[in-house]
DNA sequence: TTGTACGCGTTATCAA
DNA sequence: TTGATAACGCGTACAA
């Protein structure tokens, strides 16, 4: 057993490799830079010594160079308890690996601390991807000052030089309402998530406008928190108050699943004959045999590929005009509507 | 619109702030180093100019220093489609933020590429946390050569200087078997996940040993892939082959939920009177009203806090003896056994 | 309290 | 093809 603070053992450097191999430091650097002019035998020797000593060029020091990049990209994700957030995070990370970028992940829990984001900006990030959490727009100002490209997804941020990728939430809500009405449902309710999020506001607005256009009025407009438990409690509350309802559009899948469970267990409702329920996002469990949830697909693959495209272009052309991409939602018809 | 490759705009440096504020560059450095001797008025001036220019000390360059750290910690996670993996990742990330460390997240999908891990070792990481994915032990060798502390969780790795935190899987499986037998179930089956993972092997071994000790034989030993769909298909297959079964222990919750759905929908079974099902992990959806799954808790909070403790101690004492921590599982009695 | 000078590990430039 | 040398941006020992 050892006690007390010990000195940190240091990593092997190019200098040490150079000495051990009997070459100059520059030669070592060249051995690891494809296309550099270097004698083939000398290169082999260097690589062999490096292997033996466990040498790898330090990516940090390389990123310090004039034209160097850190290849670090920060991602701010929403609460990973929400399956949409964890699923799209996985896809986004894979895309970044393929680009040779490494994701530094922030958030992941209910409260996304603004301070955390500002702290991580101390790193010379290649970009910051704001995918979830409720973060103030002032982040855009900080990024701009630090020359860190900002890409926002899941909402639209109207700031200079900020690229956005967002689902057409209004359209998605309209799709849901149209499909419910097509099934003969007329007393429709809306179950929203956190009301301060623009995605919720847009879905709600889409719901109301589509309903009005069809000549109906909302049976109820309720809010919860995007969680399964929240959806369960919300529908329990609504039905306990004798609200007449034959269709419910929920702002995400988790709440829809919770509402379905409450309807069945607390009120003995048959889904969809007594009550139709439609969700939003199309997370993996929506298609589990137990659920077979009808929902509006918030396409993750399209979203991720657009984010990656915008990132690539922005890195290549820092001054190019910013874009806002709207992803088209699609109604997924399963068994709950 | 702009075309072609443009030069990357550079970040404001301490030198520029020094010039703008009319002070030396070291003064700027001191202004951002708490406890450094510096005239109060000069410090205010520097901070004000920095604010205006948008200057932040570059964490990368700072980490290059002799006694500096990168404060970057890589985490290898398993497939984020598995809720256990995404839930524990979120908790682990929060713990790292609290320590002032930033998580570079790898994996997250079915195939964890070994090459990805080796590539990220180009960064002078403070540590590598191997939490999921099926990664070869050779990673330990690479980490050792690069002086990057390695902490493994979810399995035990018997390598020099590697700390481990793992659930006592044998004991967990025994708990499940004991509880099933206590309910009068005697024809018990085991539904495993990916058979090459040690966690699966240990749970299976625990199942068999506990059953033998109680004087019974396994009704069936089956394997799947840790997914809901896999569990659904596996039980469908088992029951289609007329295996007599009154209790099923699954190597994780997702498969247990799938198996329950299959039993109910495909064979009209009543759970638990016809068939008891017990899972492993205790993910969040295990306690959803629709499921109320009886399971063995693989405690995430304990696991995470042990990982963080080992990390802290390892950073403080690089040469201290390595530890292997076994987390005690707990049976969570709900409605499916 | 201040500024100068050096080191961190790398890549890029330049003259040989 | 080579090796010496200058950046890169920062912290800090050292001398003033």
């Amino acid at each position: 057993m050892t006690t007390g603070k010990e000195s940190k053992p240091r990593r092997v450097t190019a200098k040490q490799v150079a000495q051990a191999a009997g070459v100059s430091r520059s030669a070592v650097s060249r051995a690891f830079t494809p296309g550099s002019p270097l004698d083939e035998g000398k290169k082999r020797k260097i690589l062999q010594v490096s292997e033996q000593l466990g040498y790898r060029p330090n990516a940090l020091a390389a990123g310090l160079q004039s034209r160097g990049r850190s290849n670090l990209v920060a991602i701010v994700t929403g609460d990973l308890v929400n399956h949409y957030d964890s699923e799209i995070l996985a896809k986004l990370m894979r895309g970044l690996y393929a680009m040779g970028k490494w994701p530094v992940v922030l958030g992941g829990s209910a409260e996304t601390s603004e301070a955390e984001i500002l702290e991580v900006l101390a790193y010379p990030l290649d970009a910051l991807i704001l995918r979830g959490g409720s973060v103030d727009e002032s982040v855009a100002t900080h990024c701009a000052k630090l020359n860190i490209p900002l890409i926002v997804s899941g909402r639209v941020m109207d700031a200079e030089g900020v690229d956005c990728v967002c689902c057409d939430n209004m359209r998605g809500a309209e799709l849901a309402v149209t499909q419910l009405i097509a099934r003969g449902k007329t007393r429709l309710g809306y179950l929203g998530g956190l009301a301060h999020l623009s995605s919720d506001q847009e879905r709600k607005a889409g719901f109301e406008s589509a309903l009005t256009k069809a000549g109906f009025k909302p049976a109820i407009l309720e809010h919860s928190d995007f969680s399964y438990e929240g959806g369960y409690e919300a529908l329990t509350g609504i039905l306990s108050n004798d609200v007449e309802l034959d269709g419910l559009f929920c702002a995400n899948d988790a709440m829809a699943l919770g509402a379905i469970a409450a309807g069945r267990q607390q009120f003995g409702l048959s889904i969809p004959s007594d009550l139709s329920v439609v969700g939003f996002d199309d997370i993996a469990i929506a298609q589990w045999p137990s659920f077979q949830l009808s929902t509006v697909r918030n396409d993750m693959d399209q979203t991720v590929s657009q984010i990656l495209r915008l990132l690539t272009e922005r890195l290549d052309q820092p001054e190019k005009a910013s874009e806002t991409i709207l992803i088209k939602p699609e109604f997924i018809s399963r068994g709950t509507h």
Side-chain angles (χ1 to χ4, degrees), chain A residues 6-7 11 13 41 85 98 101 105 114 146 172 194 230 237 273 300:
Chain A
E6 300 160 24
S7 74
R11 198 177 161 108
T13 71
D85 287 274
K101 304 295 179 192
V105 184
E114 194 102 3
L146 293 163
L194 301 168
S273 57
M300 301 190 207

Side-chain angles (χ1 to χ4, degrees), chain A residues 2 18 81 101 104 126 139 147-148 168 170 180-181 191 278 313 324 335-336:
Chain A
T2 58
V81 164
K101 304 295 179 192
V104 178
D126 281 5
V139 171
N147 282 316
I148 296 177
D168 189 341
M170 286 277 290
L180 285 168
I181 289 176
L191 177 51
V278 171
E313 293 184 7
T324 291
T336 62

Side-chain angles (χ1 to χ4, degrees), chain A residues 275-288:
Chain A
L275 176 68
S276 286
V277 178
V278 171
F280 204 107
D281 282 346
D282 194 25
I283 58 180
I285 60 177
Q287 48 183 312
W288 282 9

Side-chain angles (χ1 to χ4, degrees), chain A residues 47-306:
Chain A
L47 291 180
Q48 179 217 318
V49 171
S50 297
E51 170 71 26
Q52 188 185 328
L53 264 52
Y55 170 75
R56 306 272 315 259
N58 183 328
L60 239 68
L64 211 55
Q65 234 64 229
S66 313
R67 284 185 289 286
R69 292 190 191 280
S70 69
N71 288 324
L72 257 25
V73 172
I75 303 177
V76 179
T77 175
D79 194 339
L80 292 184
V81 164
N82 297 326
H83 300 132
Y84 183 80
D85 287 274
S86 60
E87 289 175 30
I88 199 169
L89 173 63
K91 288 173 189 283
L92 189 49
M93 293 194 312
R94 286 229 78 76
L96 289 174
Y97 303 148
M99 285 180 63
K101 304 295 179 192
W102 303 100
V104 178
V105 184
L106 275 56
S109 302
E111 351 76 58
T112 300
S113 162
E114 194 102 3
E116 260 164 41
I117 300 180
L118 296 187
E119 275 186 65
V120 87
L121 292 179
Y123 291 82
L125 304 169
D126 281 5
L128 174 65
I129 299 175
L130 199 54
R131 234 280 332 143
S134 51
V135 178
D136 195 81
E137 300 215 354
S138 64
V139 171
T141 314
H142 287 101
C143 285
K145 281 194 172 178
L146 293 163
N147 282 316
I148 296 177
L150 173 61
I151 296 177
V152 178
S153 173
R155 71 176 184 193
V156 172
M157 192 181 278
D158 192 18
E160 181 74 19
V162 177
D163 294 304
C164 302
V165 182
C166 189
C167 176
D168 189 341
N169 289 309
M170 286 277 290
R171 176 86 190 112
E174 286 168 13
L175 284 175
V177 170
T178 305
Q179 296 285 337
L180 285 168
I181 289 176
R183 292 284 162 106
K185 309 289 182 158
T186 56
R187 297 187 301 276
L188 305 186
Y190 174 76
L191 177 51
L194 301 168
H196 65 279
L197 296 184
S198 65
S199 59
D200 185 70
Q201 292 158 11
E202 291 168 14
R203 287 165 200 182
K204 182 179 174 188
F207 172 82
E208 291 190 87
S209 93
L211 207 54
T212 304
K213 211 179 297 176
F216 299 105
K217 277 193 192 316
I220 179 95
L221 297 170
E222 189 67 35
H223 270 92
S224 180
D225 60 357
F226 283 125
S227 78
Y228 176 93
E229 293 80 3
Y232 191 96
E233 287 165 20
L235 187 63
T236 301
I238 291 170
L239 296 182
S240 299
N241 285 334
D242 293 326
V243 172
E244 292 216 16
L245 204 65
D246 60 11
L248 182 68
F249 169 52
C250 302
N252 79 346
D253 289 344
M255 291 193 299
L257 297 177
I260 288 172
R264 285 180 176 150
Q265 295 175 17
Q266 300 286 320
F267 302 91
L269 296 184
S270 177
I271 311 288
S273 57
D274 295 331
L275 176 68
S276 286
V277 178
V278 171
F280 204 107
D281 282 346
D282 194 25
I283 58 180
I285 60 177
Q287 48 183 312
W288 282 9
S290 324
F291 299 123
Q292 285 296 314
L293 180 70
S294 294
T295 189
V296 177
R297 176 172 294 159
N298 184 354
D299 200 290
M300 301 190 207
D301 291 319
Q302 281 186 52
T303 303
V304 167
S305 69
Q306 289 292 336

